[in-house]
């Protein structure tokens, strides 16, 4: 994974105020974000929807609607919650109803859903309040699914990226991280999400899922995606250009293309019925 947190699956270690600035930076690049970011495995979507009581889905931190459109294509009625009005406007223009709010502040009224999903967004949500709110808006038998991608570029790309980023942003809160981080770090983050869901006592025992897949990138495709990752979204043009130049040369040295190994992780649980909750 790049050394900066690209609105991805692992909890960020940045200071709260820095994390908030990063969170608010993605909307400035909404179109590029939507075009460059990968979608989610179809098997994940199907597994989330299997066995739930209906087809009403709430997408927490929906962004531009990448995951939401997959659930719509599977026949679901999806409502997005997104704190960034720019991202919300982009998603609305592509057919997704969106309400602008953080999940914690959002007012559901008496609305209930069959699934609550969070695609690469749950690390921006207060985990205790978020799990409790998800339980409150889910119908019995509905599913909470928190998921996101983990990806590690080849060392031939990760190391030049880390070196260039360190030169450009020497005082970054992400400086000093290794160029590549083990998958176990991200699995541990999802285990923590599962523990927080379990602590609500409103769900059946959480599960952790893993989907492994690959995607090939050209130089142009990867350099289009990289500026949408957290930490790069707020760089000055000349800073970004230096990093992209270093990574571009590295891709050239690999023949102009490379294959990315992706892992999509999920922490998920089914909302217990009223009778099951009362026996706890």
């Amino acid at each position: 994974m790049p050394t900066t947190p690209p609105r991805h699956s692992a909890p960020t270690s940045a200071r709260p105020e820095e994390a908030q600035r990063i969170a608010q930076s993605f909307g400035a690049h909404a179109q590029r974000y939507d075009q460059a970011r990968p979608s989610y495995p179809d098997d994940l979507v199907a597994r989330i929807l299997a066995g739930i009581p209906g087809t009403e889905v709430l997408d927490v931190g929906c962004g531009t609607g990448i995951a939401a459109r997959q659930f719509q294509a599977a026949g679901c009625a999806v409502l997005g919650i997104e704190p960034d009005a720019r991202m919300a406007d982009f998603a609305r223009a592509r057919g997704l109803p969106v309400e602008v709010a953080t999940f914690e502040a959002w007012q559901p009224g008496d609305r209930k859903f069959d699934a609550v999903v969070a695609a690469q967004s749950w690390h921006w949500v207060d985990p205790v309040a978020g799990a409790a709110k998800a339980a409150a808006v889910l119908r019995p038998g509905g599913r909470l699914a928190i998921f996101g991608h983990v990806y590690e570029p080849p060392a031939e790309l990760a190391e030049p990226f880390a070196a260039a980023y360190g030169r450009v942003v020497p005082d970054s809160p992400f400086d000093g991280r290794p160029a590549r981080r083990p998958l176990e770090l991200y699995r541990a983050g999802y285990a923590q999400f599962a523990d927080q869901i379990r602590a609500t006592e409103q769900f059946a025992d959480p599960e952790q899922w893993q989907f492994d897949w690959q995607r090939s990138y050209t130089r142009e495709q990867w350099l289009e995606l990289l500026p949408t990752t957290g930490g790069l979204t707020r760089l000055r043009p000349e800073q970004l250009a230096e990093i992209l130049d270093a990574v571009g040369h590295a891709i050239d040295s690999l023949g102009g293309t490379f294959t990315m190994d992706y892992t999509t992780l999920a922490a998920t649980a089914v909302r217990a019925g009223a009778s099951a909750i009362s026996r706890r």
Side-chain angles (χ1 to χ4, degrees), residues 150-235:
V150 176
Y151 56 94
E152 291 292 349
E156 294 90 341
L157 300 187
E159 291 171 3
F161 171 87
Y165 192 85
R167 290 193 305 271
V168 169
V169 195
D171 57 348
S172 165
F174 313 112
D175 194 30
R177 290 185 179 182
R180 290 167 56 87
R181 287 173 281 170
L183 181 60
E184 287 71 21
L185 172 69
Y186 298 94
R187 287 196 186 114
Y190 278 86
Q192 188 174 26
F193 290 153
D195 288 342
Q196 290 155 350
I197 296 169
R198 187 179 293 109
T200 68
E201 299 187 341
Q202 303 293 306
F203 292 89
D205 197 46
E207 302 174 8
Q208 290 183 257
W209 300 343
Q210 178 172 328
F211 301 83
D212 298 314
W213 51 286
Q214 292 182 322
R215 177 171 173 174
S216 294
Y217 285 94
T218 64
R219 184 186 201 273
E220 180 182 16
Q221 289 169 332
W222 187 243
L223 297 188
E224 184 70 9
L225 185 151
L226 199 55
T228 73
T229 59
L232 274 67
T233 54
R234 298 183 301 115
L235 294 181

Side-chain angles (χ1 to χ4, degrees), residues 24 30 84 96 122-123 132 160 208 219 230 259 277:
Q24 294 173 347
D84 191 315
L96 177 66
W122 198 252
H123 54 287
Q208 290 183 257
R219 184 186 201 273
T259 298
I277 293 169

Side-chain angles (χ1 to χ4, degrees), residues 3-30:
T3 58
T4 56
R7 212 179 194 221
H8 62 35
S9 53
T12 179
S13 61
R15 297 183 301 273
E17 62 276 13
E18 178 68 13
Q20 184 63 26
R21 286 193 289 270
I22 294 170
Q24 294 173 347
S25 68
F26 296 101
H29 306 273

Side-chain angles (χ1 to χ4, degrees), residues 51-124:
I52 63 174
T55 58
E56 293 185 86
V57 175
L58 181 69
D59 187 352
V60 176
C62 66
T64 60
I66 293 172
R69 292 195 295 271
Q70 291 183 255
F71 284 94
Q72 287 177 319
C76 296
V78 185
L79 172 65
I81 305 298
E82 171 57 44
D84 191 315
R86 297 163 299 181
M87 299 286 254
D89 286 343
F90 190 97
R92 287 194 195 105
R94 282 147 186 81
L96 177 66
V98 184
E99 297 179 12
V100 177
T102 64
F103 187 45
E104 298 91 331
W106 174 65
Q107 298 297 316
D110 59 358
R111 290 174 289 183
K112 298 290 182 181
F113 298 86
D114 302 295
V116 174
V117 301
Q120 302 195 172
S121 62
W122 198 252
H123 54 287
W124 305 116

